[in-house]
Every structure is written in C-alpha cells, then in structure tokens.
Amino acid sequence: MVDKKRFITVFAKEFCKYIIDTKNHSPNEARQEVLTLIIFYALESTQTIFGDKEVLWCRFSMSDNEEYNVKAYLQDIRESKLKRKYNKSGSKSLIEFLLDFSITNRRLNNFLMGDIDQKIKILVGAESEFANDQKKVCRDLLKLCLIDAQLKVMIFGGITKRQLKNWTKSIEATLKHDQHAESEYLILSIPRIKVWLGTHDSKDKPTLRLYTVGNTQKLEDITEDYWPKDCLPKSLSST
C-alpha cells in the first residue's frame, strides 16, 4: 500500500520549486509544455518513497518544442537535483511506455535483452491532460483503469467550481471500468501556471483539487488534508 499523503507531499514540494522559477524564465507560449514537464519531474522525485532497496526506473514523454527550448530551460533549473538512472545508450530510454509517465521496479531494456525471469511491476502510472475537455481526460483515465499499478495518478488542468459537478460525474463513471480490485488512485486537478503566479485575470478561477477514490469508485476530496499548506500560493489559498 502506497503512503499517498507522503507521495503528495514529495510531489507538491518538488512541483513548487519549479513553478516559482517560471515567473522570470518561462516564455508565455511554452508554459503549458513547461507545466507538463514540471509535473513529470515532480512525479519522478516520488521514487524516494519506495525506499532504496530496489533501483527504480522512471520514463516519461519528452517535449520536442525546439523553438522555446523547453527541455534545456528546465534542465537549467533542475541541475542535478534528481539522479536519473536511465540507460546511457540514448534517448530511447526516455520514451514513455504505455502511459505518459511510469515508475517501474526494473529497466525495460533488461527485458528486451532477454532477462525475462524477473517480473516488471508498475509502481506508479500517471496520465496528464491539460486540454479543458472531459472526453480527453476520461480517455486518459481509462488507460489507468485498464493497467495494473501500485498507484495510479490522473492529473488534468484546473477546473472551476462551476464545472466541478459535471467533471466529477464523468470521472466517476470512467472509474467503474477499473479492472483491478485493489487499485489506488490520486486524481489531481491542477491550475495552469498563470493561476499559480497570480496573473490569471478571470473571476471564475480554476482551483486546485485532490481526490482519492473510495471503494464505490466515488471521489473523496482530500485537498485540505493532503496538499501541503506551504505549497499553496496566495492566489489559490481561498479556493
């Protein structure tokens, strides 16, 4: 069983480190891609909660936006904070497998090289979707429903209080398709960078929402109890 509160604490603190640095460095046009990569880096940092007994392997989608050089920008911020254990043979070791992001107990290359005896386990599987589109979010969530993982994380763009009822209904309907009785979920609705930086000019402001999933596939709001208060900017503190 995954300590979800610890998972969110590690994720939130790493996430906020990068968000703070986007104010002066990130080009507006690239901020959605930057947000996605920040989320993947924050997810990667959670490998520490699984202990040091096993070598864990992370993989995720990489941006190809050369015009804004998003990867180089984030790498400068990131420096050597996280020690990736990727195969040095080339970029293919970074490419996603099945999901947008995953942490496994062993490297896929070992399997491809013929070491098929040790079972590959997905410890964390995550999908992210920032189009404000219920169908796209539920399509990605369905992928999580169909795979076996210790923890499944669905992250999507922040929704407003007005949208909450409809989105909740769609997500709960999708969760009924989960194929694994003991699945553990975290569902995170996370606002775009503008909201975090306080530059969002709409009164109908997207909010930060964090849910776990109960035994009846109903969402349980755990935002207040799980998301660290020091990782919540003033622009979101009243939501």
Side-chain angles (χ1 to χ4, degrees), residues 90-203:
S91 62
K92 288 186 178 180
S93 61
L94 302 175
I95 296 174
E96 66 183 275
F97 176 69
L98 293 178
L99 303 167
D100 287 344
F101 175 92
S102 61
I103 297 177
T104 57
N105 65 323
R106 59 176 300 207
R107 192 173 66 185
L108 293 178
N109 280 9
N110 288 1
F111 179 83
L112 297 175
M113 294 295 288
D115 179 11
I116 61 175
D117 294 329
Q118 186 183 355
K119 186 176 180 181
I120 300 176
K121 299 175 184 177
I122 301 178
L123 304 179
V124 179
E127 281 289 317
S128 65
E129 175 56 65
F130 284 93
N132 191 17
D133 186 321
Q134 287 184 41
K135 289 182 179 179
K136 288 184 177 180
V137 170
C138 290
R139 177 182 179 274
D140 281 355
L141 178 58
L142 184 60
K143 296 178 190 177
L144 294 174
C145 291
L146 299 176
I147 60 106
D148 189 12
Q150 234 178 297
L151 179 65
K152 304 176 183 183
V153 184
M154 182 69 224
I155 301 174
F156 55 95
I159 56 176
T160 65
K161 291 181 179 180
R162 181 173 50 84
Q163 296 172 308
L164 188 59
K165 186 175 180 180
N166 272 345
W167 280 74
T168 298
K169 183 177 179 180
S170 296
I171 289 170
E172 288 179 344
T174 305
L175 286 166
K176 291 179 181 179
H177 296 278
D178 187 84
Q179 304 292 302
H180 307 277
E182 305 206 354
S183 295
E184 289 192 74
Y185 282 90
L186 286 170
I187 311 290
L188 177 59
S189 168
I190 197 161
R192 295 173 184 269
I193 290 177
K194 280 187 176 183
V195 178
W196 286 87
L197 298 181
T199 59
H200 190 273
D201 54 6
S202 172
K203 291 183 179 179

Side-chain angles (χ1 to χ4, degrees), residues 8 186-188 208-211 220-223 226-227:
I8 284 297
L186 286 170
I187 311 290
L188 177 59
L208 176 76
R209 300 274 179 177
L210 175 64
Y211 301 93
E220 299 175 2
D221 193 330
I222 55 173
T223 314
Y226 277 52
W227 191 272

